[in-house]
């Protein structure tokens, strides 16, 4: 391994400063594996020399590449299933009943990765509530520029569609595009993708009726989790719904949320007056 303790500490501090992601000791091999392709693309033989080069001649582009390489983009269709079942069984019907016939519903996929989550939501809305789909817009955001561009393209490999996408949905909502699959124009019209760093002040968006912030908070320290939840809440409607990952909770982090059990899932709602 070419990554010295000093180089690892520099990368760790860079990533935390730019994204608030915590790289704990023991992640040296992860850093080495993720950064080696960047080093080789720059004509450098190893990660140690990449770090030396960026430290002496920093640039926004090289910083972005390092930070994005060390973010986690694990995703699949209908991941953990139950939060999506809750959306169409309970959350969207309740919101539609509370809104006027001309009101739009805004959903935020706050760490969209390559797009499976926002397009899962779009497919569910189109299949389960076709009458409501023109009123639903989905904002998809991610720290990674590459992931945002992939979400905008809405194109997936055979391996990617094999990860959790039911065959009937593939037939209904996708067309062949060479060796890949392209989502339908109607789904792409529902989804708008843009870059967003959750650990920094958020852009003006929303107000959102539903936020999916799943499997994100686990990568941050407590103060960052608290700041993210506070920023997210400021962009939500008072009767909005927040979905977190199965291993995540607001309990002990931010007491301004109420946990609501929905079948085998749970969601969080802003407490009134908090």
């Amino acid at each position: 391994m070419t990554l010295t303790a000093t180089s690892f500490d520099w990368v760790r501090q860079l990533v935390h400063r730019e994204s608030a992601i915590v790289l704990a000791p023991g992640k040296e091999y992860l850093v080495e594996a993720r950064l080696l392709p960047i080093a080789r693309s720059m004509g450098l033989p190893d990660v140690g020399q990449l770090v030396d080069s960026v430290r002496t001649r920093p640039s926004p582009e090289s910083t972005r590449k390092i930070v994005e390489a060390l973010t986690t983009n694990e995703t699949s269709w209908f991941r953990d299933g139950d939060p999506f079942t809750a959306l169409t069984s309970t959350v969207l019907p309740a919101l539609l009943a509370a809104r006027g016939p001309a009101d739009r519903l805004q959903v935020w996929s706050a760490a969209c990765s390559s797009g499976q989550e926002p397009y899962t939501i779009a497919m569910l809305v189109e299949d389960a509530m076709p009458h409501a789909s023109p009123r639903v817009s989905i904002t998809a955001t991610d720290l990674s520029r590459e992931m945002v561009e992939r979400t905008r393209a809405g194109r997936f490999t055979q391996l990617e569609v094999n990860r959790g996408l039911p065959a009937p949905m593939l037939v209904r909502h996708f067309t062949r595009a060479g060796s890949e699959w392209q989502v339908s124009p109607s789904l792409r019209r529902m989804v708008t993708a843009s870059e967003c760093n959750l650990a920094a002040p958020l852009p003006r968006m929303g107000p959102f009726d539903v936020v999916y912030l799943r499997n994100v908070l686990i990568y941050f320290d407590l103060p960052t989790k608290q700041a993210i939840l506070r920023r997210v809440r400021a962009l939500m409607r008072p009767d909005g719904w927040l979905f977190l990952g199965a291993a995540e909770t607001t309990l002990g982090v931010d007491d301004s949320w109420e946990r609501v059990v929905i079948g085998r899932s749970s969601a969080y709602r802003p407490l009134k007056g908090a």
Side-chain angles (χ1 to χ4, degrees):
M1 189 171 71
T2 64
L3 194 66
T4 65
T6 300
S7 294
F8 173 74
D9 193 56
W10 181 86
V11 172
R12 181 185 62 78
Q13 292 183 43
L14 171 70
V15 171
H16 189 268
R17 183 174 68 249
E18 296 294 327
S19 70
I21 293 172
V22 176
L23 289 173
K27 297 289 187 180
E28 289 87 351
Y29 283 97
L30 172 68
V31 171
E32 183 93 18
R34 296 278 184 90
L35 298 189
L36 185 57
I38 298 176
R40 289 177 172 167
S41 73
M42 296 172 61
L44 300 170
D46 55 51
V47 173
Q49 290 199 30
L50 168 66
V51 172
D52 290 341
S53 174
V54 176
R55 289 178 70 179
T56 55
R57 294 182 299 278
S59 70
E61 183 65 14
S62 59
T63 297
R64 180 185 66 81
K65 286 181 178 180
I66 289 174
V67 173
E68 289 191 8
L70 291 167
T71 59
T72 300
N73 294 307
E74 172 65 22
T75 189
S76 60
W77 306 95
F78 295 91
R79 186 178 181 186
D80 301 327
D82 295 330
F84 298 108
T85 302
L87 180 70
T88 52
S89 70
T90 302
V91 172
L92 283 182
L95 289 170
L96 287 168
R99 302 287 185 266
D103 291 338
R104 292 193 64 80
L105 298 182
Q106 296 198 63
V107 181
W108 181 17
S109 172
C112 67
S113 190
S114 47
Q116 283 89 330
E117 181 175 86
Y119 287 121
T120 292
I121 296 168
M123 285 188 290
L124 281 173
V125 171
E126 200 165 85
D127 285 353
M129 317 182 101
H131 62 287
S133 60
R135 297 173 54 190
V136 177
S137 61
I138 301 165
T139 297
T141 65
D142 201 89
L143 174 68
S144 167
R145 183 177 302 170
E146 178 187 356
M147 293 298 106
V148 168
E149 290 172 352
R150 290 205 57 204
T151 300
R152 287 174 180 158
R155 185 173 287 202
F156 301 91
T157 66
Q158 185 66 54
L159 179 62
E160 287 170 331
V161 299
N162 285 346
R163 295 193 65 198
L165 183 60
M169 283 190 157
L170 177 64
V171 171
R172 280 197 303 274
H173 298 288
F174 290 76
T175 56
R176 271 285 189 184
S179 62
E180 298 181 319
W181 292 90
Q182 177 72 60
V183 298
S184 69
S186 63
L187 294 190
R188 291 181 70 190
R189 283 193 293 270
M190 292 176 67
V191 176
T192 302
S194 61
E195 292 179 53
C196 178
N197 184 349
L198 293 170
L202 299 177
R204 296 187 64 173
M205 300 186 294
F208 294 107
D209 301 279
V210 184
V211 177
Y212 280 77
L213 181 69
R214 302 195 308 139
N215 307 303
V216 178
L217 295 180
I218 54 175
Y219 296 106
F220 300 116
D221 57 26
L222 179 60
T224 305
K225 291 177 184 179
Q226 292 170 331
I228 290 173
L229 287 170
R230 185 170 61 250
R231 294 187 191 113
V232 168
R233 190 161 141 269
L235 295 179
M236 291 178 63
R237 292 190 186 275
D239 61 346
W241 301 75
L242 170 69
F243 287 97
L244 301 178
E248 298 168 322
T249 181
T250 66
L251 300 176
V253 180
D254 184 343
D255 294 331
S256 59
W257 300 86
E258 174 191 14
R259 181 173 178 265
V260 180
V261 176
I262 311 173
R264 297 190 302 177
S265 183
S266 62
Y268 298 85
R269 310 192 76 182
L271 281 173
K272 292 179 174 62

